[in-house]
């Protein structure tokens, strides 16, 4: 079974509106971290936000917030007030503490297009 | 402080040739990871170094791929001989720790095209 699932291959959002990118995960490790990365057309991987499995509150970083629902094993990324520069591929990833020695497992990615 | 750097940024080679990719991690990061994204698919783990030792190479696709990390500093990933299906973007990442909360810092990637 895939460990990270991003069910939205592509998403469109109007500039200045909010958008939610979905991510569900599967792990038996009690301790893990969830990450979101942005990959613009230039190709580099840009770290956006991190959520630890034991964190009580949802992570926020500027216009990015992570809607963490542990029981549902979901870690959706919310981008508020979308900007044209947000158009990119977005990857959800997980690192497990006890297994897999810290390597990241990625979802297939979601291509976000912000419309003016 | 410099981030993770990778060289070259792009490489175009013919099937059967050899290519060597280089990654310089952030200074002081013992953990170095190689990933690749081929044909627009998901990013997949290749291998993990802790200092100069290979901790996990379970993601290496076959014996045409050879990774080294000299003295626990920079790492190279050699593909010999390259095949068409090796085309993709190869990412290197480093982190100071293994814990799930430790961020992995990614390099800009090397785009490999095999003709």
């Amino acid at each position: 079974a895939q460990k990270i699932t991003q069910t939205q291959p592509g998403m469109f959002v109007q500039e200045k509106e909010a958008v939610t990118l979905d991510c569900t995960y599967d792990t038996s490790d009690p301790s893990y971290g969830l990450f979101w990365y942005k990959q613009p057309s230039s190709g580099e991987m840009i770290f956006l936000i991190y959520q630890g499995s034991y964190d009580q509150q949802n992570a926020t970083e500027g216009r990015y917030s992570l809607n963490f629902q542990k029981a549902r094993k979901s870690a959706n990324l919310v981008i508020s007030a979308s900007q044209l520069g947000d158009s990119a591929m977005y990857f959800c990833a997980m690192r497990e503490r006890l297994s897999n020695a810290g390597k990241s497992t990625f979802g297939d990615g979601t291509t976000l297009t912000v419309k003016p | 402080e410099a981030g993770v750097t990778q060289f070259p940024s792009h490489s175009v080679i013919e099937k059967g040739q050899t290519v060597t990719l280089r990654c310089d991690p952030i200074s002081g990061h013992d953990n170095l990871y190689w990933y690749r994204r081929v044909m627009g698919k998901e990013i997949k783990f290749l291998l993990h170094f802790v200092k100069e030792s290979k901790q996990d190479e379970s993601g290496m696709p076959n014996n045409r791929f050879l990774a080294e990390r000299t003295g626990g500093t920079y790492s190279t990933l050699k593909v010999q001989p390259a095949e068409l299906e090796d085309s993709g973007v190869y990412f290197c990442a480093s982190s100071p720790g293994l814990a799930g909360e430790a961020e992995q810092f990614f390099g800009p990637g090397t785009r490999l095209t095999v003709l």
Side-chain angles (χ1 to χ4, degrees), chain A residues 32-33 35 37 39 43-45 47 50 89 91 95 97 101-104 106-108, chain B residues 33 35 37 42-43 45 48 56 58 91 95 97-104 106 108:
Chain A
Y32 50 90
F35 301 80
Y37 294 89
Q39 187 182 39
E44 72 271 27
M45 294 283 281
F47 166 76
Y50 158 81
M89 179 81 104
F91 290 96
R95 296 182 75 191
R97 176 188 285 271
K103 67 187 179 190
S104 293
F106 289 85
D108 289 347
Chain B
Y33 304 81
Y35 298 87
R37 184 173 183 228
E42 76 269 27
I43 300 167
F45 166 82
H48 169 210
D56 179 359
S58 62
F91 291 100
S95 71
L98 294 175
E101 65 269 19
E103 177 189 343
Q104 285 186 334
F106 280 82

Side-chain angles (χ1 to χ4, degrees), chain B residues 5-96:
Chain B
T5 58
Q6 292 186 246
F7 181 83
S9 57
H10 292 84
S11 181
V12 181
I13 61 173
E14 293 188 352
K15 176 182 173 181
Q17 290 185 323
T18 298
V19 63
T20 300
L21 313 181
R22 173 170 170 146
C23 168
D24 286 78
I26 293 173
S27 177
H29 284 191
D30 288 341
N31 297 279
L32 187 150
Y33 304 81
W34 282 98
Y35 298 87
R36 74 171 181 175
R37 184 173 183 228
V38 297
M39 296 298 291
K41 297 181 180 178
E42 76 269 27
I43 300 167
K44 286 197 170 181
F45 166 82
L46 294 178
L47 86 158
H48 169 210
F49 283 99
V50 177
K51 296 184 180 179
E52 69 275 8
S53 300
K54 292 177 185 175
Q55 181 78 12
D56 179 359
E57 51 184 332
S58 62
M60 295 288 263
N62 51 60
N63 59 9
R64 294 186 294 104
F65 289 75
L66 175 64
E68 294 179 325
R69 190 178 182 191
T70 306
T73 55
Y74 70 90
S75 175
T76 58
L77 179 64
K78 180 189 288 187
V79 185
Q80 180 182 28
E83 297 290 343
L84 298 178
E85 64 264 25
D86 300 331
S87 295
V89 182
Y90 290 75
F91 291 100
C92 175
S94 71
S95 71

